Amino acid sequence: MVDAPSALMPFQQDVRGFAAERDWTQFHDPKSLVLALVGEVGELAELFQWVPADEARRTYSSGPRRQRAEEEISDVLIYLLALGNSLDIDVLDAATRKLAAARDRFPVESVDGVAPEKD
């Protein structure tokens, strides 16, 4: 982890504390957390599975469907932070560095409006 805590670190530490208070850390090995994360991403994907792409934003912008999307997105984030905790990774710091590298790799003038190709 980095020396200076990121803006997300207090919440990442709260996720760690939540698990520790319940003695769940024993179950939070990287493999188990990745599988839990995949399961939650699957639940999020299931919400959108049969919604036409051009209707998804409107469909999930309010009401009970928005609440369900919020819940599943939150589950994904919590498991992702728990995985970061398990591997001693400051998730926001790592993501910030990854985004900086993507800015270098995909300069606006080269990719504006064009989906990047797989390397």
Side-chain angles (χ1 to χ4, degrees), residues 57-106:
R57 186 172 285 117
R58 183 185 52 77
T59 300
Y60 284 91
S61 65
S62 64
R65 286 189 172 189
R66 180 182 176 92
Q67 182 177 346
R68 287 290 298 129
E70 288 177 358
E71 291 168 358
E72 296 307 333
I73 290 168
S74 297
D75 286 343
V76 168
L77 177 61
I78 290 167
Y79 274 117
L80 186 62
L81 294 175
L83 179 59
N85 286 337
S86 177
L87 297 171
D88 201 27
I89 293 171
D90 178 329
V91 174
L92 184 59
D93 179 64
T96 299
R97 286 184 280 114
K98 180 70 176 182
L99 184 58
R103 281 192 173 99
D104 291 340
R105 185 173 173 201
F106 303 108

Side-chain angles (χ1 to χ4, degrees), residues 14-68:
D14 196 27
V15 169
R16 183 189 310 262
F18 179 86
E21 291 164 357
R22 289 153 180 81
D23 193 26
W24 290 350
T25 312
Q26 63 182 316
F27 309 116
H28 286 192
D29 61 274
K31 179 189 138 267
S32 295
L33 289 167
V34 166
L35 292 174
L37 180 59
V38 167
E40 293 301 337
V41 169
E43 290 180 21
L44 179 59
E46 184 179 28
L47 295 179
F48 292 88
Q49 185 173 6
W50 303 116
V51 177
D54 59 344
E55 294 177 24
R57 186 172 285 117
R58 183 185 52 77
T59 300
Y60 284 91
S61 65
S62 64
R65 286 189 172 189
R66 180 182 176 92
Q67 182 177 346
R68 287 290 298 129

Side-chain angles (χ1 to χ4, degrees), residues 105-106 116-119:
R105 185 173 173 201
F106 303 108
E117 294 182 18
K118 245 348 200 171
D119 287 345

